[in-house]
Amino acid sequence: MPEPLQRRLAVLAGGAAGTALRAAVAVAVPVGTSGFPWPTLAVNVTGAAALGIVVVRLGRRASGTVVAAVGTGVLGSYTTFATFAVEVVQLWPHLPATAVSYGLASVVLGVAAAWAGVRLAERRPGATA
Amino acid sequence: MSVAVVVLGALGALARAEIGWALQRRTGATRTGTWVVNLTGATALGAVLGLTLPDGIRAAATDLLGVGFLGGFTTFSTWMVEAVAGDAATAATGPPRLQVRDLAAHVGGMLVAGLAAAAFGWWLGSVA
């Protein structure tokens, strides 16, 4: 059964917001002379934490439309895998240490953030489980 | 940031959602969709940036496709939540099911495959 139109619109709206937020972070957080992609790291780690919280707290209580808007839409678009992967590849020939530290920091902090988000959301009263 | 970038990001998100919903219906899980969008998206962005383009066009492509469409199409957060909770949809229905081996496989696997995809895309763009 195809998804209802409402859910698709929710993803579009959330996706627009998430993209705008990510673009705003790129302006606010400069890459700087080191070449380390701080803006992408910032959105990916904060987005992972936020999605951990959202999936647990909204998963059963909110409608599929809300989850589509906030989870799939906003946070799915606020974070990015393509830019992350290409940044590592672009850094590797000239700044291999930066490429490795950026790649590792992203996944280590990303996992920690998602885990923290899920655990935090599980603990507070009002979590669905 | 421009309206075009935000609109393309929204379309990328919808494309990701459609692929995800279709695969979730078949597999019962979110991660197949995440694999598909992230690997194709990384390849595509690598290819776009691997091309030799005049500066103005390169900047526009980076904005519209990199920040815009592929930024919305690919996702880092869903990957991470799947790694720690097994699935981005069922995490809501119980305590987080952290399986360390599964986490390592999902993180390591997508990291390696994603970097390979981006590098492959870059090469494609550079020889085009």
Side-chain angles (χ1 to χ4, degrees), chain A residues 1-4 7-9 11-17 19-24 27 44-45 47-48 51-52 55-60 68 71-73 75-86 88-90 103-104 106-107 109-112 114-115 118-119 122 128-129, chain B residues 1 5-18 21 25 37-39 41-42 45-46 49 58 66-68 70-81 83-85 87-98 103 107 110-111 113-116 118-119 122:
Chain A
M1 187 184 308
E3 298 294 318
R7 208 163 289 183
R8 292 186 158 106
L9 294 175
V11 169
L12 280 173
T19 301
L21 278 172
R22 175 164 40 84
V27 171
N44 281 348
V45 173
L51 187 64
V55 168
V56 172
R57 291 191 69 87
L58 288 189
R60 261 201 314 212
T72 309
L75 296 174
S77 302
Y78 174 66
T79 64
T80 172
F81 182 85
T83 302
F84 160 67
V86 170
V88 174
V89 168
Q90 285 177 314
L104 286 179
S106 295
V107 297
L109 293 176
V111 166
W115 178 245
V118 169
R119 294 300 312 205
E122 279 287 326
T128 57
Chain B
M1 178 184 345
V5 168
V6 171
V7 167
L8 284 170
L11 292 172
L14 183 59
R16 169 168 45 83
E18 295 284 3
W21 289 327
R25 275 194 289 275
V37 298
N38 280 354
L39 294 193
L45 187 58
L49 296 181
R58 183 179 196 79
V67 179
L70 297 171
F73 186 65
T74 64
T75 173
F76 188 95
S77 54
T78 313
W79 173 34
M80 291 290 119
V81 170
V84 304
D87 186 78
T90 60
T93 60
R97 309 201 174 295
L98 179 64
L103 182 155
V107 172
M110 196 169 301
L111 179 64
L115 294 179
W122 182 274

Side-chain angles (χ1 to χ4, degrees), chain B residues 2-6 8-9 58-71:
Chain B
S2 66
V3 172
V5 168
V6 171
L8 284 170
R58 183 179 196 79
T62 302
D63 239 15
L64 295 172
L65 297 177
V67 179
F69 187 81
L70 297 171

Side-chain angles (χ1 to χ4, degrees), chain B residues 22-52:
Chain B
L23 289 170
Q24 197 174 351
R25 275 194 289 275
R26 288 183 180 210
T27 67
T30 63
R31 52 177 67 197
T32 309
T34 307
W35 274 103
V36 168
V37 298
N38 280 354
L39 294 193
T40 57
T43 308
L45 187 58
V48 168
L49 296 181
L51 289 169
T52 305

